[in-house]
């Protein structure tokens, strides 16, 4: 599954939140605008019927028919108006926006309901032709006596059209405002995500550096909130780890030095006994002493490895650089590993160009790099396998490639294969029986990087392993300057 960064999650979630808020507000504004328009139309209708009541009362009282008809002609200009009229209690029309209805006696259901009602305001709906009409009826009173009824009818469909037309402009404004709000919200969301994720990225990078062994690294504290407290705890943890690492290095250094002296003495006495200086030995006694000698040598190599690791970690590795021929070192390695190759029937071949320049290296350290890498290759290569060493020049480096047909390294182990005491656990064949201290590749990495080079592994289970080493080429001009100095 593809990893999604915290910053991306913050941007996505914030954008969705802003989008939801904008949509919610936009819809709310749209519905509120629609409700406002409908209320405004209803209020307009009520004002019109109330005005009609006042004009009609005046016209009936003063018997001024022209006043009433003039007002009805004014109402007739409204596009949503279906009719406006004044009629008596028995339905006889006194005045109508349709002059042909004047004097007619209405007997439709809405008129019957309007005549029969005792309410101050009657709102009803009825169908006229293919349209639905909203009818408002108010009684015309004088001294609590009903003189007539004032009625105004509006087309419901036409009012809906007017509302939609008014909402169209409102809709455009709402969409524009929503787009601007969304753009501003997304910008603020991105800005906040950067501001919030920056200290978290610093914590992550710091944790990676500390995890990679850079215990001197400290996370810069820029805030006094929970993230600042977490950064402080990280720094405290790094300081304690650094203190423990120093104690460990001191312990390893002291123990290895303390072990080396008695071990040297032990090896000396074993050699003394094997030479027969203390008297003749039988075969069984010699066999026992050889076992002691071999294990003492093995322990001595382990102690040397521990000392090398301690020097690498402390930055106190002493290097005596000089030009070293890769071709000569490869021939030496063929001689050293010939017995092991013959025993396991593993072929070892080299491909070193004749014009390959020498590298600048401490001969002992470079020899140990070759020995460790080739030892691992022989260790994990089964019978009738092959080991190849090739070298080519790449700019200011010599690229060394150690390739074998062994059991290979699982992908998950490639990232940690150079760690101290890290041993790959093979799953098949003779590799299951191999043993080691887990320091060889760590020493290789330390020696290579101390010379300004780089080392990495490529491997797959069952397909062998390829170790790559980039080693600086010896610069003749630089060497001459050093000799003069």
């Amino acid at each position: 599954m593809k990893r999604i960064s915290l910053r991306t999650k913050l941007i996505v979630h914030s954008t969705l939140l802003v989008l939801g808020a904008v949509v919610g507000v936009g819809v709310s504004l749209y519905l509120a605008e629609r409700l406002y328009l409908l209320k405004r139309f209803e209020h307009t209708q009520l004002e019109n019927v109330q005005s009609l009541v006042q004009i009609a009362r005046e016209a009936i009282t003063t018997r001024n028919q022209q006043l009433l008809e003039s007002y009805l002609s004014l109402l007739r200009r409204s596009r949503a108006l279906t009719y406006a009229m004044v009629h008596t209690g028995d339905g006889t029309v006194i005045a109508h926006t349709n002059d042909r209805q004047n004097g007619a006696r209405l007997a439709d259901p809405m008129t019957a309901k309007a005549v029969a009602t005792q309410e101050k305001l009657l709102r009803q709906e009825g169908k006229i032709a293919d349209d639905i009409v909203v009818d408002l009826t108010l009684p015309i009173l004088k001294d609590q006596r009903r003189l007539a009824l004032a009625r105004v009818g509006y087309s419901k469909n036409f009012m809906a059209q007017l509302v939609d037309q008014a909402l169209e402009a409102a809709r455009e404004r709402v969409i524009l405002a929503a787009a601007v709000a969304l753009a501003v919200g997304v910008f603020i969301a991105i800005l906040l995500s950067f501001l919030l994720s920056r200290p978290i990225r610093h914590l992550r990078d710091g944790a990676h550096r500390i995890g990679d062994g850079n215990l001197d690294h400290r996370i810069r504290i820029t805030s006094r909130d929970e993230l600042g407290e977490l950064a402080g705890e990280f720094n405290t943890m790094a300081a304690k780890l650094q203190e423990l690492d120093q104690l460990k290095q001191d312990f390893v250094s002291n123990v290895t030095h303390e072990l080396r002296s008695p071990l040297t003495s032990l090896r000396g006495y074993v050699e003394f006994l094997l030479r027969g200086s203390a008297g003749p030995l039988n075969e069984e006694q010699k066999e026992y002493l050889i076992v002691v000698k071999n294990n003492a040598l093995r322990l001595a190599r382990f102690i040397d490895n521990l000392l090398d690791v301690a020097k690498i970690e402390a930055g106190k590795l002493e290097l005596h650089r000089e030009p070293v021929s890769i071709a000569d070192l490869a021939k030496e390695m063929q001689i050293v590993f010939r017995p092991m190759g013959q025993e396991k029937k593993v072929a070892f071949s080299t491909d070193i160009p004749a014009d390959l320049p020498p590298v600048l290296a401490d001969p002992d350290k470079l020899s140990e790099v070759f020995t460790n890498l080739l030892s691992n290759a022989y260790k994990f290569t089964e019978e009738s396998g092959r080991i190849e060493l090739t070298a080519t020049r790449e700019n200011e480096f010599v690229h060394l490639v150690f390739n074998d047909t062994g059991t290979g390294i699982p992908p998950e182990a490639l990232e940690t294969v150079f760690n101290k005491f890290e041993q790959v656990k093979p799953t098949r064949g003779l590799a299951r029986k191999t043993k080691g201290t887990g320091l060889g590749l760590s020493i290789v990495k330390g020696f290579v990087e101390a010379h300004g080079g780089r080392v990495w592994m490529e491997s797959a289970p069952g397909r062998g392993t390829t170790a790559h080493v980039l080693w600086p080429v010896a610069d003749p001009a630089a060497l001459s300057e050093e000799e003069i100095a």
Side-chain angles (χ1 to χ4, degrees):
M1 186 177 178
K2 188 177 180 180
R3 185 181 69 89
I4 302 177
S5 66
L6 178 62
R7 182 192 301 173
T8 304
K9 290 180 179 178
L10 285 173
I11 292 174
V12 171
H13 292 166
S14 300
T15 302
L16 290 176
L17 184 61
V18 171
L19 180 61
V22 168
V23 171
V25 171
V27 171
S28 299
L29 287 175
Y30 180 79
L31 295 177
E33 182 76 7
R34 183 180 180 83
L35 182 62
Y36 167 75
L37 290 174
L38 291 174
K39 291 291 185 183
R40 192 177 70 178
F41 276 124
E42 291 178 1
H43 183 68
T44 301
Q45 295 166 8
L46 181 59
E47 285 182 341
N48 287 340
V49 73
Q50 288 175 342
S51 298
L52 180 58
V53 167
Q54 294 175 5
I55 297 297
R57 181 187 299 114
E58 182 69 20
I60 293 172
T61 303
T62 61
R63 300 181 183 277
N64 189 350
Q65 182 73 15
Q66 186 177 358
L67 174 63
L68 183 56
E69 290 179 355
S70 297
Y71 184 71
L72 289 177
S73 64
L74 184 63
L75 289 180
R76 193 181 296 120
R77 298 176 185 176
S78 175
R79 292 180 298 169
L81 184 75
T82 301
Y83 59 79
M85 70 176 85
V86 177
H87 62 76
T88 62
D90 61 356
T92 301
V93 176
I94 299 173
H96 199 290
T97 50
N98 185 356
D99 295 334
R100 290 178 295 178
Q101 295 289 337
N102 290 338
R105 185 172 183 176
L106 304 177
D108 58 276
M110 284 197 295
T111 300
K113 190 172 181 180
V115 170
T117 186
Q118 297 298 321
E119 297 178 9
K120 291 184 177 180
L121 174 65
L122 173 64
R123 181 186 295 272
Q124 57 180 327
E125 292 184 5
K127 193 170 184 181
I128 297 179
D130 294 329
D131 195 8
I132 297 176
V133 175
V134 178
D135 183 281
L136 274 70
T137 303
L138 270 179
I140 303 170
L141 302 176
K142 184 175 178 60
D143 299 330
Q144 301 300 319
R145 183 170 62 88
R146 190 164 75 171
L147 302 177
L149 295 172
R151 292 173 58 191
V152 176
Y154 286 90
S155 169
K156 190 173 184 179
N157 294 337
F158 197 82
M159 283 194 299
Q161 292 178 11
L162 292 177
V163 169
D164 290 339
Q165 290 174 3
L167 285 176
E168 186 65 31
R171 189 183 299 115
E172 293 177 359
R173 294 195 301 271
V174 168
I175 292 175
L176 179 61
V180 172
L182 181 61
V184 173
V186 170
F187 174 76
I188 295 175
I190 294 174
L191 182 62
L192 285 177
S193 68
F194 272 91
L195 293 176
L196 291 174
S197 63
R198 182 184 299 171
I200 296 176
R201 291 201 310 274
H202 289 165
L203 287 173
R204 179 202 62 191
D205 296 340
H208 283 171
R209 291 189 181 183
I210 293 172
D212 291 338
N214 185 9
L215 301 181
D216 293 330
H217 180 73
R218 295 293 181 270
I219 299 171
R220 187 164 58 94
I221 300 174
T222 57
S223 62
R224 296 184 178 181
D225 54 12
E226 290 81 356
L227 290 175
E229 293 177 0
L230 183 58
E233 292 298 325
F234 263 101
N235 292 338
T236 302
M237 177 190 68
K240 291 182 178 179
L241 288 174
Q242 189 176 22
E243 182 180 351
L244 290 173
D245 189 65
Q246 186 61 46
L247 290 173
K248 180 205 66 178
Q249 291 181 19
D250 294 341
F251 173 77
V252 170
S253 180
N254 293 334
V255 168
T256 50
H257 278 97
E258 291 298 325
L259 286 175
R260 176 173 279 185
S261 297
L263 187 60
T264 302
S265 177
L266 175 63
R267 290 171 57 189
Y269 275 106
V270 170
E271 293 287 349
F272 180 79
L273 292 173
L274 285 173
R275 289 196 303 267
S277 301
L281 300 173
N282 57 39
E283 292 300 321
E284 186 176 3
Q285 289 172 333
K286 287 182 179 181
E287 183 178 341
Y288 292 159
L289 287 174
I290 289 173
V291 172
V292 174
K293 177 184 176 181
N294 289 338
N295 280 282
L297 288 172
R298 182 182 174 189
L299 183 58
R301 284 194 298 271
F302 179 67
I303 292 173
D304 290 339
N305 288 340
L306 283 176
L307 285 174
D308 286 337
V309 170
K311 290 177 181 178
I312 291 170
E313 291 182 340
K316 298 179 179 179
L317 191 65
E318 296 181 1
L319 300 176
H320 303 283
R321 293 184 175 91
E322 60 182 67
V324 179
S325 170
I326 295 296
D328 293 343
L329 185 57
K331 291 178 183 178
E332 181 183 334
M333 292 295 110
Q334 284 182 317
I335 296 173
V336 170
F337 285 96
R338 184 176 299 159
M340 188 180 296
Q342 291 175 348
E343 180 184 352
K344 297 186 66 176
K345 299 178 182 180
V346 173
F348 177 30
S349 61
T350 62
D351 182 10
I352 313 294
D355 60 346
L356 186 73
V359 295
L360 186 61
D362 184 313
D364 293 336
K365 303 298 187 290
L366 181 58
S367 178
E368 190 164 351
V369 168
F370 272 62
T371 300
N372 283 340
L373 291 177
L374 289 172
S375 177
N376 279 344
Y378 274 99
K379 186 187 300 183
F380 293 102
T381 301
E382 298 177 343
E383 289 188 3
S384 302
R386 297 188 316 278
I387 298 174
E388 299 175 355
L389 168 60
T390 61
T392 55
R393 178 165 184 171
E394 294 184 4
N395 299 322
E396 302 303 317
F397 294 90
V398 169
H399 187 181
L400 303 169
V401 180
F402 300 79
N403 185 55
D404 65 59
T405 59
T407 56
I409 302 173
E412 62 273 10
L414 283 174
E415 296 182 1
T416 59
V417 73
F418 291 104
N419 292 351
K420 291 180 296 182
F421 305 107
E422 187 73 27
Q423 288 184 291
V424 179
K425 297 177 175 58
T427 57
R428 65 179 183 88
L430 57 88
R432 292 181 179 179
K433 303 176 183 178
T434 56
K435 295 181 180 180
T437 61
L439 294 175
L441 290 179
S442 177
I443 292 172
V444 166
K445 186 174 186 290
F447 285 174
V448 171
E449 292 181 350
H451 284 82
R454 189 165 73 92
V455 59
W456 70 95
M457 290 281 193
E458 293 177 353
S459 184
R463 298 184 181 179
T465 301
T466 302
H468 297 266
V469 177
L470 289 179
W471 204 285
V473 172
D475 184 358
L479 290 173
S480 300
E481 292 177 2
E482 288 182 4
E483 290 174 359
I484 293 173

